[in-house]
């Protein structure tokens, strides 16, 4: 079983749509949670950290459910520029990040 | 601006040659850096943890004699792919944890290696 599992997609959505990505992790010792965005042939860039209380950054909302070991990302009012691969990432302090395989989003005009 | 740099950004080499990739933290000291590899349409896979002043810690299945890691200073880690073969062609990315910024890791821009 992978440590971090994501639906690979692709998710093809029209501009303005709301789209949600889910992720599950297997290691209950995981302490930090993130969503990264990776554009084709580029390095991952931090999109946002994820907290149990839920957090929002503009059109992006992230949620963490520790009991279910489940992380989500909601994107509202999708833009063409949101097209990318979204990586669910978990971390145990002091160790390297563990990446999901990513969910590919394609926003269409 | 960028906080972690990598050099070169891309390299094409012949089979059997060795390639060195540098990873630098630009305005902070990183006692630990990480090296990842990403094959097309796959996730980043951790290769090794680079520790300043000591030996690197390699993940299972990564040959330490093939992927030489040196972390000679607090701002520089190098990865040398020795006797590269076409199957080593990949996207190599380093990262470093910035002190005082929790667990956030900053990634270098990556090095695309193509071995002919």
């Amino acid at each position: 079983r992978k440590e971090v599992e994501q639906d690979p997609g692709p998710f093809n959505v029209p501009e303005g749509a709301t789209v949600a990505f889910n992720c599950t992790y297997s290691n209950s010792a995981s302490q930090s949670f993130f969503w990264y965005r990776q554009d084709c042939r580029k390095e991952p860039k931090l999109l946002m950290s994820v907290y149990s209380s839920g957090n929002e950054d503009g059109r992006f909302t992230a949620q963490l459910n520790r009991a279910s070991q489940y992380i989500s990302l909601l994107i509202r009012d999708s833009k063409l520029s949101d097209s990318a691969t979204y990586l669910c990432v978990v971390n145990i302090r002091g160790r390297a990040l563990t990446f999901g395989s990513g969910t590919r989003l394609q926003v269409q005009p | 601006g960028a906080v972690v740099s990598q050099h070169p950004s891309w390299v094409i080499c012949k089979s059997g040659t060795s390639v060195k990739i540098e990873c630098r933290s630009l305005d902070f000291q990183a006692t630990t850096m990480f090296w990842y590899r990403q094959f097309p349409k796959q996730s980043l896979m951790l290769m090794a943890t680079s520790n300043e002043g000591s030996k690197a810690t390699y993940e299972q299945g990564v040959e330490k004699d093939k992927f030489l890691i040196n972390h000679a200073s607090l701002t520089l880690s190098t990865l040398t792919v020795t006797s590269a073969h076409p199957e080593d062609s990949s996207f190599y990315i380093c990262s470093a944890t910035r002190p005082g910024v929790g667990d956030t890791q900053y990634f270098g821009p990556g090095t695309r290696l193509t071995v002919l």
Side-chain angles (χ1 to χ4, degrees):
Chain A
R1 183 185 172 190
K2 292 181 183 177
E3 286 196 56
V4 181
E5 298 222 38
Q6 291 182 252
D7 181 342
F11 284 57
N12 295 302
V13 302
E15 272 187 288
T18 295
V19 60
F21 304 141
N22 303 319
C23 163
T24 57
Y25 61 95
S26 61
N27 192 333
S28 59
S30 300
Q31 297 169 297
S32 305
F33 309 88
F34 309 92
W35 283 101
Y36 276 74
R37 170 194 169 129
Q38 186 174 26
D39 294 289
C40 188
R41 304 175 81 87
K42 300 282 189 182
E43 78 278 20
K45 291 190 188 296
L46 178 66
L47 181 65
M48 59 197 304
S49 301
V50 189
Y51 307 108
S52 298
S53 54
N55 49 302
E56 188 174 309
D57 182 3
R59 299 182 291 108
F60 299 84
T61 302
Q63 201 80 39
L64 166 65
N65 184 320
R66 284 186 185 268
S68 303
Q69 297 184 191
Y70 171 95
I71 305 164
S72 66
L73 175 68
L74 183 77
I75 304 176
R76 291 181 298 277
D77 189 23
S78 301
K79 311 289 185 191
L80 293 176
S81 58
D82 294 334
S83 298
T85 296
Y86 290 83
L87 303 169
C88 177
V89 183
V90 304
N91 180 238
I92 297 173
R93 183 173 291 278
R95 289 175 53 178
L97 301 177
T98 301
F99 287 82
S101 56
T103 299
R104 187 161 161 244
L105 171 66
Q106 185 67 47
V107 181
Q108 296 163 337
Chain B
V3 296
V4 176
S5 70
Q6 265 183 258
H7 178 80
S9 54
W10 60 270
V11 59
I12 301 173
C13 68
K14 292 182 179 178
S15 187
T17 59
S18 294
V19 175
K20 180 187 280 189
I21 303 170
E22 293 185 349
C23 177
R24 293 180 186 273
S25 55
L26 295 180
D27 60 356
F28 65 98
Q29 295 180 331
T31 54
T32 302
M33 292 184 176
F34 302 98
W35 285 96
Y36 297 84
R37 180 168 55 180
Q38 186 178 33
F39 292 107
K41 299 188 179 181
Q42 294 187 25
S43 187
L44 277 75
M45 295 299 295
L46 179 67
M47 297 177 67
T49 302
S50 173
N51 305 297
E52 188 270 336
S54 65
K55 291 182 179 180
T57 304
Y58 290 81
E59 295 300 299
Q60 194 172 9
V62 178
E63 298 174 58
K64 62 180 181 181
D65 294 328
K66 180 168 181 63
F67 299 98
L68 303 178
I69 291 173
N70 185 287
H71 196 149
S73 78
L74 287 171
T75 59
L76 173 64
S77 175
T78 60
L79 167 68
T80 301
V81 183
T82 62
S83 186
H85 287 94
E87 58 265 30
D88 298 323
S89 299
S90 188
F91 191 45
Y92 292 85
I93 309 175
C94 71
S95 73
T97 301
R98 186 167 190 166
V101 195
D103 294 320
T104 302
Q105 289 190 17
Y106 292 88
F107 287 85
T111 297
R112 191 158 301 279
L113 171 64
T114 301
V115 185
L116 302 176

